[in-house]
Amino acid sequence: MPHNGSIDDPALLFNRELSWLDFNQRVLELAEDPEVPLLERVRFCAIYASNLDEFFMVRVAGLFDQLDAGIEARGPDGLTPTEQIDAIQRRVLELDDRLCECFGGNLRPALEEQGIRIVTLETATDEERGEIDDRFKHQVFPALTPLVIGLGRPFPYISNLSLSLAVLLRDPESEAEIIARVKVPKELLPRFMALGDGRTLVPLEELIAKNLDQLFPGMEIVEHHTFRVTRNADLEIDDRADDLLEALEEELTKRRFSPAVRLEIEETMPQHVLELLMTELEVEQDDVFTLPTPLDLAGLWSLHAIDRPDLKDEPYVPVTHPDLSMVDDEIDIFEVIGDRDVLVHHPYESFTS
Protein backbone atom coordinates (compact mmCIF):
# COMPACT_ATOMS: atom_id res chain seq x y z
CA MET A 1 0.00 0.00 0.00
CA PRO A 2 1.58 3.35 -1.03
CA HIS A 3 1.83 5.99 1.67
CA ASN A 4 1.37 9.77 1.49
CA GLY A 5 4.61 10.74 3.22
CA SER A 6 2.98 11.61 6.54
CA ILE A 7 4.22 9.87 9.68
CA ASP A 8 0.53 9.31 10.58
CA ASP A 9 -0.14 7.42 7.34
CA PRO A 10 -1.72 3.99 8.16
CA ALA A 11 0.31 2.41 5.34
CA LEU A 12 3.40 2.75 7.55
CA LEU A 13 1.90 0.56 10.28
CA PHE A 14 1.57 -3.21 10.60
CA ASN A 15 -1.78 -4.62 11.65
CA ARG A 16 -1.41 -6.32 15.04
CA GLU A 17 -3.37 -9.46 14.13
CA LEU A 18 -1.86 -9.97 10.67
CA SER A 19 1.58 -9.39 12.13
CA TRP A 20 0.90 -12.15 14.66
CA LEU A 21 0.01 -14.50 11.78
CA ASP A 22 3.41 -13.64 10.25
CA PHE A 23 4.97 -14.78 13.53
CA ASN A 24 3.05 -18.07 13.44
CA GLN A 25 4.13 -18.50 9.83
CA ARG A 26 7.72 -18.51 11.07
CA VAL A 27 6.79 -21.36 13.42
CA LEU A 28 5.33 -23.21 10.43
CA GLU A 29 8.51 -22.56 8.43
CA LEU A 30 10.46 -24.46 11.09
CA ALA A 31 8.11 -27.41 10.54
CA GLU A 32 8.77 -27.13 6.80
CA ASP A 33 12.56 -26.85 7.16
CA PRO A 34 14.24 -30.14 6.07
CA GLU A 35 17.32 -29.20 8.13
CA VAL A 36 15.31 -29.49 11.37
CA PRO A 37 15.16 -33.03 12.91
CA LEU A 38 12.01 -34.91 11.95
CA LEU A 39 10.27 -35.12 15.34
CA GLU A 40 11.13 -31.47 16.03
CA ARG A 41 9.31 -30.59 12.78
CA VAL A 42 6.30 -32.54 14.06
CA ARG A 43 6.51 -30.57 17.32
CA PHE A 44 6.50 -27.29 15.41
CA CYS A 45 3.32 -28.42 13.63
CA ALA A 46 1.75 -28.93 17.06
CA ILE A 47 2.98 -25.53 18.27
CA TYR A 48 1.63 -23.81 15.15
CA ALA A 49 -1.79 -25.44 15.61
CA SER A 50 -1.91 -24.69 19.35
CA ASN A 51 -0.89 -21.07 18.74
CA LEU A 52 -3.64 -20.68 16.15
CA ASP A 53 -6.25 -22.04 18.56
CA GLU A 54 -5.29 -19.39 21.10
CA PHE A 55 -5.29 -16.71 18.40
CA PHE A 56 -8.90 -17.47 17.43
CA MET A 57 -10.04 -17.85 21.04
CA VAL A 58 -8.70 -14.44 22.06
CA ARG A 59 -7.59 -12.17 19.22
CA VAL A 60 -10.18 -13.06 16.57
CA ALA A 61 -12.84 -13.34 19.28
CA GLY A 62 -11.99 -9.78 20.32
CA LEU A 63 -12.66 -8.57 16.78
CA PHE A 64 -16.04 -10.34 16.79
CA ASP A 65 -16.80 -8.65 20.13
CA GLN A 66 -16.14 -5.28 18.45
CA LEU A 67 -18.58 -6.17 15.65
CA ASP A 68 -21.22 -7.25 18.17
CA ALA A 69 -20.78 -3.90 19.92
CA GLY A 70 -21.29 -2.06 16.62
CA ILE A 71 -17.69 -0.82 16.49
CA GLU A 72 -16.46 -0.38 12.92
CA ALA A 73 -13.89 2.33 13.54
CA ARG A 74 -10.60 2.04 11.67
CA GLY A 75 -7.54 1.26 13.74
CA PRO A 76 -4.18 3.03 13.43
CA ASP A 77 -3.35 0.73 10.48
CA GLY A 78 -6.50 1.87 8.63
CA LEU A 79 -8.40 -1.44 8.87
CA THR A 80 -11.87 -1.93 10.34
CA PRO A 81 -12.67 -5.05 12.44
CA THR A 82 -14.55 -6.54 9.45
CA GLU A 83 -11.58 -5.96 7.12
CA GLN A 84 -9.24 -7.51 9.67
CA ILE A 85 -11.44 -10.61 10.04
CA ASP A 86 -11.63 -11.02 6.25
CA ALA A 87 -7.86 -10.67 5.90
CA ILE A 88 -7.26 -13.11 8.77
CA GLN A 89 -9.53 -15.73 7.22
CA ARG A 90 -7.75 -15.51 3.84
CA ARG A 91 -4.34 -15.72 5.50
CA VAL A 92 -5.29 -18.64 7.78
CA LEU A 93 -6.66 -20.64 4.84
CA GLU A 94 -3.34 -20.18 3.07
CA LEU A 95 -1.31 -21.18 6.15
CA ASP A 96 -3.58 -24.15 6.93
CA ASP A 97 -3.02 -25.45 3.39
CA ARG A 98 0.71 -25.25 4.02
CA LEU A 99 0.36 -27.03 7.37
CA CYS A 100 -1.65 -29.88 5.81
CA GLU A 101 0.83 -30.27 2.97
CA CYS A 102 3.75 -30.17 5.43
CA PHE A 103 2.33 -32.81 7.75
CA GLY A 104 0.32 -34.98 5.39
CA GLY A 105 2.48 -34.65 2.30
CA ASN A 106 5.96 -34.58 3.83
CA LEU A 107 6.23 -35.44 7.51
CA ARG A 108 3.82 -38.37 7.63
CA PRO A 109 5.60 -40.31 4.84
CA ALA A 110 8.98 -39.41 6.37
CA LEU A 111 7.84 -40.71 9.76
CA GLU A 112 6.69 -43.95 8.16
CA GLU A 113 10.15 -44.41 6.66
CA GLN A 114 11.48 -44.18 10.22
CA GLY A 115 9.02 -46.81 11.49
CA ILE A 116 6.58 -44.32 13.05
CA ARG A 117 3.11 -44.87 11.57
CA ILE A 118 -0.21 -43.08 12.02
CA VAL A 119 -2.74 -45.66 10.89
CA THR A 120 -6.33 -45.34 9.77
CA LEU A 121 -9.01 -47.99 9.50
CA GLU A 122 -7.86 -48.72 5.96
CA THR A 123 -4.11 -48.88 6.60
CA ALA A 124 -4.08 -50.83 9.91
CA THR A 125 -3.07 -54.48 9.76
CA ASP A 126 -5.41 -57.25 10.95
CA GLU A 127 -3.41 -57.51 14.17
CA GLU A 128 -3.65 -53.75 14.71
CA ARG A 129 -7.39 -53.81 14.06
CA GLY A 130 -7.72 -56.46 16.76
CA GLU A 131 -5.82 -54.25 19.20
CA ILE A 132 -7.95 -51.25 18.19
CA ASP A 133 -11.10 -53.24 19.01
CA ASP A 134 -9.65 -54.28 22.37
CA ARG A 135 -8.59 -50.73 23.26
CA PHE A 136 -12.03 -49.45 22.32
CA LYS A 137 -13.80 -52.00 24.49
CA HIS A 138 -11.73 -51.48 27.64
CA GLN A 139 -10.58 -47.84 27.45
CA VAL A 140 -12.64 -45.77 25.04
CA PHE A 141 -16.20 -47.11 25.16
CA PRO A 142 -16.70 -46.28 28.88
CA ALA A 143 -15.72 -42.66 28.19
CA LEU A 144 -18.22 -42.02 25.36
CA THR A 145 -21.61 -40.31 25.52
CA PRO A 146 -23.28 -40.38 22.08
CA LEU A 147 -26.16 -37.93 21.62
CA VAL A 148 -28.82 -38.02 18.91
CA ILE A 149 -29.67 -34.65 17.33
CA GLY A 150 -33.25 -33.86 16.36
CA LEU A 151 -36.44 -35.84 16.96
CA GLY A 152 -37.37 -33.42 19.73
CA ARG A 153 -33.93 -33.49 21.30
CA PRO A 154 -32.05 -30.18 21.67
CA PHE A 155 -28.73 -29.69 19.92
CA PRO A 156 -25.99 -30.66 22.40
CA TYR A 157 -23.58 -28.08 23.77
CA ILE A 158 -20.23 -28.34 21.94
CA SER A 159 -17.42 -27.25 24.24
CA ASN A 160 -14.44 -25.15 23.21
CA LEU A 161 -11.73 -26.97 21.21
CA SER A 162 -13.62 -30.24 21.50
CA LEU A 163 -13.26 -32.75 18.68
CA SER A 164 -16.46 -34.49 17.62
CA LEU A 165 -17.85 -37.03 15.21
CA ALA A 166 -21.05 -36.20 13.33
CA VAL A 167 -22.62 -39.58 12.55
CA LEU A 168 -25.39 -40.04 9.99
CA LEU A 169 -27.67 -42.93 11.03
CA ARG A 170 -30.50 -44.69 9.24
CA ASP A 171 -33.30 -46.65 10.88
CA PRO A 172 -33.53 -49.87 8.82
CA GLU A 173 -37.26 -50.19 9.55
CA SER A 174 -38.53 -46.67 8.86
CA GLU A 175 -35.63 -45.60 6.56
CA ALA A 176 -35.57 -42.34 8.53
CA GLU A 177 -32.15 -40.67 8.79
CA ILE A 178 -30.90 -38.85 11.88
CA ILE A 179 -27.61 -37.30 12.94
CA ALA A 180 -25.78 -38.03 16.19
CA ARG A 181 -22.80 -36.38 17.82
CA VAL A 182 -20.04 -38.34 19.56
CA LYS A 183 -17.49 -36.31 21.51
CA VAL A 184 -13.92 -37.55 21.16
CA PRO A 185 -12.71 -37.75 24.80
CA LYS A 186 -9.21 -36.38 24.19
CA GLU A 187 -9.25 -34.78 27.66
CA LEU A 188 -9.32 -38.28 29.16
CA LEU A 189 -7.36 -40.30 26.58
CA PRO A 190 -4.36 -39.64 24.32
CA ARG A 191 -5.19 -37.75 21.13
CA PHE A 192 -3.12 -40.36 19.24
CA MET A 193 -3.29 -43.76 20.93
CA ALA A 194 -0.16 -45.91 20.71
CA LEU A 195 -0.43 -49.49 19.53
CA GLY A 196 2.03 -52.36 19.80
CA ASP A 197 5.56 -51.07 20.37
CA GLY A 198 4.39 -47.48 20.82
CA ARG A 199 5.52 -46.36 17.36
CA THR A 200 2.24 -47.11 15.63
CA LEU A 201 -0.47 -44.63 16.53
CA VAL A 202 -4.14 -44.28 15.68
CA PRO A 203 -6.12 -41.03 15.96
CA LEU A 204 -8.68 -41.40 18.72
CA GLU A 205 -11.56 -40.49 16.37
CA GLU A 206 -10.52 -43.29 13.97
CA LEU A 207 -10.61 -45.77 16.81
CA ILE A 208 -14.13 -44.62 17.70
CA ALA A 209 -15.30 -44.60 14.08
CA LYS A 210 -14.24 -48.24 13.70
CA ASN A 211 -16.73 -49.20 16.43
CA LEU A 212 -19.70 -46.89 15.87
CA ASP A 213 -22.00 -49.88 15.43
CA GLN A 214 -21.50 -50.65 19.13
CA LEU A 215 -22.66 -47.16 20.08
CA PHE A 216 -25.82 -47.29 17.96
CA PRO A 217 -27.04 -50.90 18.00
CA GLY A 218 -29.81 -51.62 15.52
CA MET A 219 -29.02 -48.55 13.42
CA GLU A 220 -27.25 -48.45 10.07
CA ILE A 221 -24.13 -46.26 10.09
CA VAL A 222 -24.37 -44.32 6.83
CA GLU A 223 -21.31 -42.05 7.23
CA HIS A 224 -19.32 -40.13 9.82
CA HIS A 225 -17.28 -36.92 9.75
CA THR A 226 -15.11 -35.10 12.28
CA PHE A 227 -15.52 -31.46 13.24
CA ARG A 228 -14.09 -29.11 15.83
CA VAL A 229 -15.37 -25.90 17.42
CA THR A 230 -13.38 -22.93 18.71
CA ARG A 231 -15.22 -20.52 21.02
CA ASN A 232 -14.65 -17.00 22.27
CA ALA A 233 -12.43 -17.29 25.35
CA ASP A 234 -11.47 -13.64 25.71
CA LEU A 235 -11.83 -12.60 29.36
CA GLU A 236 -13.08 -9.11 30.17
CA ILE A 237 -12.49 -8.45 33.86
CA ASP A 238 -13.12 -4.99 35.27
CA ASP A 239 -10.34 -4.45 37.81
CA ARG A 240 -12.62 -1.96 39.58
CA ALA A 241 -15.01 -4.78 40.54
CA ASP A 242 -15.80 -5.01 44.25
CA ASP A 243 -14.91 -8.70 44.32
CA LEU A 244 -12.38 -9.73 41.66
CA LEU A 245 -12.74 -13.43 42.47
CA GLU A 246 -16.50 -13.26 42.01
CA ALA A 247 -16.06 -11.28 38.77
CA LEU A 248 -13.59 -13.87 37.46
CA GLU A 249 -15.91 -16.76 38.35
CA GLU A 250 -18.79 -15.04 36.55
CA GLU A 251 -16.66 -14.40 33.45
CA LEU A 252 -15.44 -18.01 33.34
CA THR A 253 -19.04 -19.25 33.60
CA LYS A 254 -20.05 -16.98 30.70
CA ARG A 255 -17.03 -18.14 28.68
CA ARG A 256 -18.20 -21.77 28.79
CA PHE A 257 -21.27 -20.79 26.75
CA SER A 258 -19.56 -18.17 24.61
CA PRO A 259 -20.22 -18.00 20.85
CA ALA A 260 -18.27 -20.05 18.32
CA VAL A 261 -15.67 -18.17 16.27
CA ARG A 262 -14.35 -21.04 14.13
CA LEU A 263 -15.71 -24.35 12.85
CA GLU A 264 -13.19 -26.83 11.44
CA ILE A 265 -14.57 -29.70 9.40
CA GLU A 266 -13.07 -32.59 7.47
CA GLU A 267 -13.18 -32.14 3.72
CA THR A 268 -15.60 -35.05 3.12
CA MET A 269 -18.44 -33.57 5.20
CA PRO A 270 -21.62 -33.26 3.07
CA GLN A 271 -23.38 -29.92 2.75
CA HIS A 272 -26.53 -30.89 4.69
CA VAL A 273 -24.48 -31.89 7.75
CA LEU A 274 -22.42 -28.70 7.50
CA GLU A 275 -25.56 -26.57 7.21
CA LEU A 276 -26.98 -28.16 10.38
CA LEU A 277 -23.78 -27.42 12.30
CA MET A 278 -23.60 -23.86 10.97
CA THR A 279 -27.21 -23.22 11.97
CA GLU A 280 -26.94 -24.69 15.45
CA LEU A 281 -23.53 -23.17 16.19
CA GLU A 282 -24.54 -19.84 14.61
CA VAL A 283 -21.48 -19.49 12.43
CA GLU A 284 -21.19 -18.07 8.91
CA GLN A 285 -19.63 -19.77 5.91
CA ASP A 286 -16.53 -17.58 6.29
CA ASP A 287 -16.00 -19.05 9.78
CA VAL A 288 -15.78 -22.60 8.38
CA PHE A 289 -12.33 -24.06 7.70
CA THR A 290 -12.22 -27.26 5.65
CA LEU A 291 -9.22 -29.53 6.28
CA PRO A 292 -8.06 -33.08 5.56
CA THR A 293 -7.99 -35.45 8.50
CA PRO A 294 -6.75 -35.65 11.14
CA LEU A 295 -8.04 -32.41 12.61
CA ASP A 296 -6.57 -30.94 15.81
CA LEU A 297 -2.87 -31.28 15.03
CA ALA A 298 -2.07 -29.66 18.38
CA GLY A 299 -2.26 -33.27 19.59
CA LEU A 300 0.95 -34.11 17.72
CA TRP A 301 2.87 -33.52 20.96
CA SER A 302 2.31 -37.22 21.67
CA LEU A 303 4.38 -38.10 18.58
CA HIS A 304 7.22 -35.91 19.74
CA ALA A 305 7.23 -37.90 23.01
CA ILE A 306 8.26 -41.08 21.15
CA ASP A 307 11.68 -42.28 22.29
CA ARG A 308 13.71 -41.57 19.16
CA PRO A 309 16.54 -39.21 20.18
CA ASP A 310 18.07 -39.62 16.72
CA LEU A 311 15.06 -37.71 15.31
CA LYS A 312 15.23 -34.84 17.81
CA ASP A 313 17.54 -31.98 18.68
CA GLU A 314 20.33 -32.84 21.06
CA PRO A 315 19.31 -31.85 24.60
CA TYR A 316 20.73 -28.48 25.53
CA VAL A 317 22.66 -28.32 28.78
CA PRO A 318 22.57 -24.81 30.30
CA VAL A 319 25.88 -23.41 31.48
CA THR A 320 26.54 -21.78 34.85
CA HIS A 321 27.19 -18.06 34.71
CA PRO A 322 30.94 -17.43 35.31
CA ASP A 323 30.23 -15.01 38.16
CA LEU A 324 28.14 -17.66 39.90
CA SER A 325 30.42 -20.63 39.27
CA MET A 326 32.38 -19.72 42.41
CA VAL A 327 29.28 -20.09 44.59
CA ASP A 328 29.74 -23.03 46.95
CA ASP A 329 29.59 -23.83 50.63
CA GLU A 330 32.20 -21.15 51.33
CA ILE A 331 30.73 -18.34 49.23
CA ASP A 332 27.02 -17.49 49.33
CA ILE A 333 25.20 -16.36 46.17
CA PHE A 334 24.02 -13.31 48.06
CA GLU A 335 27.62 -12.29 48.68
CA VAL A 336 28.22 -12.28 44.92
CA ILE A 337 25.13 -10.27 44.00
CA GLY A 338 25.72 -8.00 46.97
CA ASP A 339 29.11 -7.17 45.50
CA ARG A 340 27.97 -6.64 41.87
CA ASP A 341 25.03 -7.11 39.56
CA VAL A 342 24.86 -10.41 37.65
CA LEU A 343 22.82 -10.66 34.45
CA VAL A 344 21.70 -14.27 33.90
CA HIS A 345 20.33 -15.18 30.46
CA HIS A 346 17.80 -18.02 30.80
CA PRO A 347 17.41 -20.68 29.51
CA TYR A 348 20.95 -20.63 28.11
CA GLU A 349 22.44 -20.10 31.54
CA SER A 350 21.34 -22.40 34.32
CA PHE A 351 18.38 -21.83 36.64
CA THR A 352 20.17 -23.97 39.21
CA SER A 353 22.19 -21.10 40.67
Side-chain angles (χ1 to χ4, degrees), residues 35-313:
E35 299 299 317
V36 174
L38 185 56
L39 285 178
E40 300 298 343
R41 295 175 67 186
V42 171
R43 181 170 65 96
F44 282 119
C45 285
I47 294 172
Y48 167 88
S50 180
N51 284 349
L52 196 61
D53 288 344
E54 188 73 22
F55 177 72
F56 270 91
M57 288 161 54
V58 178
R59 305 282 279 266
V60 175
L63 292 173
F64 277 110
D65 286 342
Q66 291 182 47
L67 292 184
D68 291 341
I71 299 172
E72 270 290 7
R74 296 188 181 276
D77 49 45
L79 297 178
T80 66
T82 297
E83 289 170 340
Q84 291 180 65
I85 290 171
D86 291 343
I88 287 167
Q89 289 166 336
R90 290 193 300 270
R91 189 85 173 91
V92 169
L93 286 171
E94 171 197 329
L95 293 174
D96 276 350
D97 283 345
R98 285 176 57 176
L99 174 68
C100 294
E101 174 58 28
C102 175
F103 179 70
N106 298 317
L107 297 184
R108 199 162 171 174
L111 287 166
E112 191 155 339
E113 289 179 7
Q114 295 292 332
I116 300 173
R117 299 167 58 237
I118 300 176
V119 299
T120 64
L121 306 184
E122 291 75 25
T123 59
T125 65
D126 291 341
E127 183 179 350
E128 287 165 348
R129 288 195 188 98
E131 185 174 353
I132 287 172
D133 289 342
D134 186 66
R135 298 289 288 277
F136 177 83
K137 178 180 178 181
H138 293 99
Q139 290 180 263
V140 182
F141 184 79
L144 298 180
T145 307
L147 296 170
V148 173
I149 300 170
L151 301 179
R153 299 175 178 86
F155 190 83
Y157 174 75
I158 311 293
S159 57
N160 184 36
L161 299 184
S162 62
L163 187 63
S164 301
L165 283 168
V167 186
L168 184 61
L169 305 168
R170 180 183 294 125
D171 187 329
E173 295 183 5
S174 66
E175 294 295 315
E177 290 189 348
I178 56 175
I179 294 177
R181 179 251 181 164
V182 181
K183 181 178 179 179
V184 178
K186 60 189 181 73
E187 299 85 2
L188 304 174
L189 297 166
R191 171 72 185 84
F192 293 90
M193 296 198 74
L195 305 175
D197 61 0
R199 296 182 182 181
T200 299
L201 301 104
V202 58
L204 190 52
E205 67 273 21
E206 285 278 347
L207 192 149
I208 296 168
K210 170 73 168 60
N211 295 278
L212 285 172
D213 57 327
Q214 297 185 45
L215 295 177
F216 304 99
M219 299 293 286
E220 178 187 347
I221 311 297
V222 180
E223 56 188 343
H224 61 272
H225 309 278
T226 52
F227 68 95
R228 186 169 181 259
V229 174
T230 309
R231 293 188 176 275
N232 184 332
D234 192 18
L235 290 176
E236 296 182 10
I237 305 297
D238 187 348
D239 58 9
R240 295 168 298 179
D242 294 333
D243 188 327
L244 281 177
L245 179 59
E246 183 178 323
L248 181 61
E249 289 175 344
E250 181 180 346
E251 190 66 25
L252 288 172
T253 301
K254 285 166 49 182
R255 187 173 77 169
R256 172 172 164 75
F257 299 99
S258 59
V261 294
R262 178 178 60 163
L263 172 61
E264 296 170 281
I265 63 168
E266 71 170 271
E267 54 194 359
T268 59
M269 180 177 286
Q271 187 65 26
H272 69 279
V273 177
L274 173 58
E275 288 174 357
L276 171 67
L277 294 176
M278 288 174 58
T279 299
E280 297 294 345
L281 293 168
E282 299 180 348
V283 298
E284 303 296 329
Q285 185 64 54
D286 288 343
D287 305 322
V288 178
F289 294 81
T290 303
L291 302 162
T293 55
L295 305 184
D296 189 18
L297 292 184
L300 289 173
W301 279 101
S302 57
L303 267 76
H304 184 263
I306 291 173
D307 185 20
R308 283 294 300 273
D310 56 313
L311 301 180
K312 301 179 186 179
D313 286 328

